[in-house]
Amino acid sequence: MDIFNGQNLLDFCERFKTDNDCREYLAKVKWESGFSCSKCGHLKSQVRKNFSRTCNICSHTESPMAGTLFHKVKFGLRKAFFVCFEMSTTTKSLSASYMAVRYGVSENTARLFMHKVREGMKSSGEHPMDGEVHVDEFVVGGREEGKPGRSYDSKKKKVVCALQLTDEGKVRRFYALKIRDFSSKSLKGIFESHISKRAKVTTDEWRGYGPIAKNYSITQIPGNNGLSFKALHTMIHQVKSWIRTTYSWVSEKHIERYLNEFSYRLNRSQSKASVFNNLITRMVKASKIYHTQIVCS
Ligand SMILES: [Zn+2]
């Protein structure tokens, strides 16, 4: 099967005309390296008209959606594919109310599915950043936006972020993580999940980074109100305004998902052609998430 390439909406419509076209695509992604029965582990199966597979030994039938983030998508797979296409190729912030109007589903349905998409966008953490990396923290939400210093105001969501620079000082990759406070213990999270020990890290003079420097190469310099970290501060500004314009109320529980979405798209801005296929593959390989988990977690 050819993977879907590009950002052209007309090509996309032509390729995915029915729910079954989407099932076929999911089946190809899911079983690209062969079928294995989820009940008995047998490797041979019959392919059904709707691209489900029936195990030759135990007759268990598995749909292409089973065990993926497309499991139990109630509003039709084609709509789900369009939402994925929009979310992966856009450069704008898309809200659940926008998606609801565009695809004729309820806002709640749109929101739940968009959270599943964001789950697929979550970084694997398998490719830590090296080279030149800048790290800083910021807050979103709350009323005291703009108040200087590291406020411990509990209404604000605290975030630590890291940026890998190119040789030209531009953005190569960006990750952000929600944290409880600005302590070393909390700040360490982004190092452990996204920064290689070989990286040359620069931070401002916040004392919280001190203890982390035992395990990482960290240089601390004066922040100069962001001037020392221009590329990173441009990113921080973008994340904040993106969150502010799209989500009137940023749930504490969901902020990490919005950060995942932002980082995912940004880190793939150089590989836009294959981004839709990348997202679908991740959503197929990710373990399934039930609605309840999304609402409650
Ligand atoms: Zn079986």
Side-chain angles (χ1 to χ4, degrees):
M1 178 193 70
D2 291 334
I3 67 160
F4 181 82
N5 263 309
Q7 302 173 73
N8 185 314
L9 184 57
L10 295 178
D11 291 348
F12 191 83
C13 293
E14 196 56 32
R15 175 75 183 262
F16 302 105
K17 288 197 187 101
T18 63
D19 283 354
N20 222 31
D21 291 340
C22 305
R23 289 177 72 107
E24 182 178 16
Y25 201 90
L26 287 186
K28 290 281 164 65
V29 172
K30 184 174 185 178
W31 293 305
E32 63 178 338
S33 46
F35 171 85
S36 168
C37 176
S38 60
K39 286 275 184 287
C40 74
H42 187 65
L43 302 178
K44 292 214 170 84
S45 63
Q46 305 292 318
V47 181
R48 302 188 159 264
K49 263 193 207 135
N50 64 4
F51 302 101
S52 288
R53 302 264 194 140
T54 300
C55 172
N56 281 357
I57 298 281
C58 75
S59 298
H60 171 66
T61 297
E62 190 176 318
S63 80
M65 293 78 76
T68 78
L69 289 171
F70 292 97
H71 187 66
K72 288 189 175 161
V73 167
K74 293 195 187 82
F75 52 89
L77 211 47
R78 188 166 178 253
K79 284 185 186 180
F81 264 47
F82 273 77
V83 171
C84 291
F85 183 65
E86 288 218 57
M87 285 179 76
S88 59
T89 56
T90 185
T91 52
K92 297 196 178 103
S93 45
L94 304 173
S95 66
S97 58
Y98 165 88
M99 287 295 191
V101 173
R102 293 269 284 188
Y103 298 104
V105 298
S106 79
E107 199 174 318
N108 205 34
T109 300
R111 182 174 301 110
L112 284 172
F113 183 68
M114 288 172 84
H115 277 322
K116 291 189 186 184
V117 176
R118 293 182 185 109
E119 204 58 39
M121 290 175 165
K122 193 158 84 183
S123 162
S124 63
E126 281 165 13
H127 308 285
M129 301 189 286
D130 50 19
E132 202 181 334
V133 175
H134 288 178
V135 177
D136 204 357
E137 341 78 44
F138 63 97
V139 292
V140 278
R143 275 158 197 244
E144 289 153 280
E145 198 78 57
K147 194 170 125 183
R150 286 171 178 83
S151 164
Y152 278 76
D153 176 359
S154 64
K155 285 194 204 84
K156 292 184 192 174
K157 280 74 180 177
K158 299 166 185 73
V159 178
V160 59
C161 59
L163 173 81
Q164 182 185 353
L165 294 161
T166 64
D167 293 340
E168 296 79 39
K170 299 226 165 71
V171 180
R172 170 163 277 160
R173 276 193 290 162
F174 174 84
Y175 293 105
L177 212 65
K178 192 190 84 165
I179 49 177
R180 287 182 55 198
D181 51 43
F182 296 127
S183 68
S184 299
K185 204 178 151 206
S186 299
L187 294 170
K188 208 166 68 183
I190 193 130
F191 286 82
E192 287 171 345
S193 39
H194 296 298
I195 301 175
S196 157
K197 295 208 166 146
R198 292 192 310 270
K200 281 174 57 199
V201 182
T202 309
T203 70
D204 64 15
E205 292 173 312
W206 173 241
R207 62 176 186 274
Y209 293 107
I212 304 170
K214 277 182 217 139
N215 296 309
Y216 291 84
S217 150
I218 298 178
T219 307
Q220 295 196 271
I221 61 168
N224 281 333
N225 277 327
L227 287 174
S228 307
F229 304 94
K230 239 177 156 188
L232 182 53
H233 276 245
T234 305
M235 280 301 107
I236 291 175
H237 181 76
Q238 282 182 21
V239 178
K240 288 170 92 164
S241 67
W242 178 68
I243 287 177
R244 207 182 297 127
T245 53
T246 318
Y247 315 101
S248 51
W249 175 72
V250 178
S251 158
E252 181 86 45
K253 294 154 191 160
H254 296 315
I255 185 163
E256 197 130 310
R257 292 198 166 101
Y258 299 125
L259 296 172
N260 289 341
E261 179 183 357
F262 183 91
S263 308
Y264 177 83
R265 253 198 313 268
L266 184 83
N267 294 341
R268 275 159 198 82
S269 49
Q270 301 305 313
S271 46
K272 279 273 186 209
S274 56
V275 72
F276 172 76
N277 185 69
N278 177 277
L279 177 60
I280 295 296
T281 305
R282 285 158 157 265
M283 290 181 69
V284 166
K285 309 273 149 105
S287 55
K288 81 181 153 216
I289 299 217
Y290 289 104
H291 281 185
T292 48
Q293 275 176 281
I294 282 187
V295 176
C296 308
S297 64

